[in-house]
Amino acid sequence: MASFHTLDDLSPEGKRVLLRADLNVPVRDGAITDTTRIDRVIPTICELADKGARVIILSHFDRPKGQVVPSMSLAPVAEMLESKIQHKVHFVSDCVGSKAEDAVAKLKDGEVCVLENTRFYAGEEKNDPEFTAMLARLGDIYVNDAFSAAHRAHASTEGLARHLPAYAGRLMEAELNALSAALELPDRPVGALIGGAKISTKLDLIGNVLGKVDVLFIGGAMANTFLAAQGVSVGKSLQEAEMHETARKILAQANDGKCEIILPVDAVIAREFRAGAPSEVCDINAVPADAMILDAGPQTVALINAKLESLKTLVWNGPLGAFEIKPFDAATVAVAQKAAELTKAGTLKTIAGGGDTVSALRHAGAADEMSYVSTAGGAFLEWLEGKLLPGISVLTDAAHHAFPI
């Protein structure tokens, strides 16, 4: 990971700090249903405010597509934030222009204001130079704490770092350090557990990790495609017949690169996909023609868990089975709990991310025991795929430029 400036390099007292956060929290019937994203940015907000900064928070919310959509206002989020911290939080019903400028001018040291949804302006997603300049006028310093939006080259995620001295917030710093520990400078041996439904959606991810890990565990319906590509009958299981040749090439590439691929050796099967459906365990080579593979079996779990004991680092993306429905959550839960046990014991470093992965680890009661769990869906996946994230590259570029502050 290239170098970047953090809050350790910053003396924010009396300065206007434009803080890009991700406050795009889930809302149902007007009520916030999960405050995780708010909670995770609070350490950065409070550190800046405690040091006397005037903290000006920028965030998007949902997809208003450049239009003012009242139901997508950040006002409720600002109210929730104020209930969680010991600092005054103002809300401003615009993010640029005279209303925002006047509100920022009235801020006192240690106060916080949340500006309105940046995506109410089309210039945000277009990274429009004029809109970016309007945002930049509101601050002296730019801090990005929104890794989850770092794969977007928007005005508030990428453009501002070209106008102002740029720093990573504490959440961004933790995320970047975790990612570096995962694949760039991992303690070896290192493994990756990749699950999910389709190879076609994770080709870039698999291609990137093949050359970086010692062991690759493949689970979920993706595994069915790899098995079928080798002539294993998978019955009525979900698989991608058109990806068989690709799967064979991946297996050959792994063999050439000395990466061990571990596929299921047994499976939990059922004739219908529903909660509580009658199920049984069978050898992977004995799946009935009228059955579906819906989870990895106990021998596969034992194989994976034994291998985990020999690893120093594990990157996890995707479940091993249809974990949303019992009893097809058993493999994911068992492996998650084993990874958590090893992590707690200090022998394994676990970095996990992706929407289904976070849900699966929470379901297993293991999320809090992992070394790092990223709530950034798209950004985490694009990083695993080896793609350049605009919001990160601009921070590392900014680290090599001198700004007067």
Side-chain angles (χ1 to χ4, degrees):
M1 184 72 66
S3 61
F4 53 91
H5 290 311
T6 72
L7 299 192
D8 294 333
D9 306 306
L10 176 61
S11 298
E13 184 178 358
K15 293 187 172 67
R16 301 171 302 160
V17 178
L18 281 173
L19 172 62
R20 181 42 161 106
D22 184 358
L23 302 179
N24 188 28
V25 293
V27 173
R28 183 178 300 147
D29 299 326
I32 296 170
T33 58
D34 185 341
T35 64
T36 300
R37 285 183 168 170
I38 297 173
D39 298 337
R40 283 198 160 190
V41 78
I42 282 176
T44 296
I45 296 170
C46 289
E47 180 175 345
L48 290 168
D50 288 344
K51 291 179 178 178
R54 302 169 189 186
V55 185
I56 304 140
I57 300 176
L58 300 167
S59 180
H60 70 286
F61 187 86
D62 213 328
R63 294 183 175 88
K65 299 181 179 178
Q67 304 294 319
V68 175
V69 181
S71 63
M72 297 179 189
S73 171
L74 282 169
V77 180
E79 187 177 339
M80 174 64 74
L81 175 62
E82 185 169 45
S83 73
K84 288 174 169 282
I85 64 175
Q86 302 299 313
H87 294 272
K88 177 64 180 174
V89 178
H90 305 270
F91 174 71
V92 186
S93 59
D94 207 341
C95 62
V96 290
S98 59
K99 188 177 290 186
E101 290 171 9
D102 290 347
V104 168
K106 293 175 183 175
L107 273 183
K108 298 174 183 176
D109 293 358
E111 289 189 343
V112 178
C113 76
V114 176
L115 302 184
E116 186 54 285
N117 192 341
T118 55
R119 288 188 183 173
F120 281 0
Y121 287 86
E124 161 70 341
E125 294 187 79
K126 293 178 180 177
N127 202 358
D128 177 69
E130 185 176 344
F131 178 71
T132 306
M134 292 172 72
L135 289 175
R137 283 201 291 271
L138 300 173
D140 306 305
I141 291 164
Y142 171 67
V143 173
N144 192 341
D145 217 22
F147 176 82
S148 51
H151 57 316
R152 307 297 187 198
H154 293 172
S156 68
T157 61
E158 196 268 354
L160 277 173
R162 303 189 183 281
H163 286 255
L164 298 170
Y167 300 80
R170 293 305 184 196
L171 177 58
M172 177 73 83
E173 179 186 1
E175 192 96 34
L176 296 182
N177 288 339
L179 296 181
S180 180
L183 290 182
E184 293 184 4
L185 296 168
D187 291 332
R188 291 191 175 276
V190 57
L193 193 160
I194 309 298
K198 297 181 178 181
I199 296 178
S200 54
T201 61
K202 296 196 176 181
L203 265 182
D204 290 343
L205 190 161
I206 293 171
N208 187 47
V209 303
L210 268 185
K212 298 182 177 181
V213 303
D214 303 296
V215 182
L216 175 59
F217 308 100
I218 297 178
M222 283 175 53
N224 301 338
T225 301
F226 278 91
L227 292 165
Q230 297 177 86
V232 176
S233 175
V234 295
K236 292 185 175 180
S237 307
L238 177 65
Q239 61 131 332
E240 296 173 281
E242 71 279 7
M243 298 299 293
H244 285 185
E245 183 59 32
T246 299
R248 286 190 285 268
K249 287 180 180 177
I250 289 171
L251 291 168
Q253 184 183 345
N255 186 58
D256 292 343
K258 304 298 187 291
C259 172
E260 180 184 6
I261 288 186
I262 293 180
L263 290 164
V265 295
D266 63 342
V268 178
I269 59 170
R271 268 72 181 179
E272 51 184 330
F273 182 38
R274 62 173 175 82
S279 62
E280 60 188 278
V281 175
C282 71
D283 183 272
I284 204 64
N285 293 300
V287 177
D290 63 343
M292 297 176 284
I293 299 171
L294 294 175
D295 197 13
Q299 289 184 46
T300 303
V301 169
L303 179 64
I304 294 173
N305 285 352
K307 184 63 71 170
L308 289 183
E309 292 185 349
S310 69
L311 299 180
K312 296 284 186 64
T313 306
L314 175 69
V315 182
W316 188 329
N317 175 256
L320 289 166
F323 77 96
E324 305 94 338
I325 298 179
K326 288 182 176 293
F328 311 116
D329 59 340
T332 300
V333 168
V335 173
Q337 291 178 347
K338 179 65 174 182
E341 173 193 321
L342 294 171
T343 304
K344 194 172 182 179
T347 63
L348 181 68
K349 185 176 293 182
T350 48
I351 295 93
D356 283 350
T357 312
V358 177
S359 298
L361 293 177
R362 285 177 177 162
H363 173 73
D368 292 341
E369 301 295 338
M370 300 296 170
S371 305
Y372 193 83
V373 176
S374 173
T375 57
F380 184 82
L381 286 175
E382 288 195 17
W383 182 86
L384 283 182
E385 291 168 359
K387 294 179 180 176
L388 189 68
L389 305 187
I392 304 305
S393 61
V394 75
L395 280 184
T396 57
D397 288 346
H400 303 291
H401 292 83
F403 289 92
I405 61 172

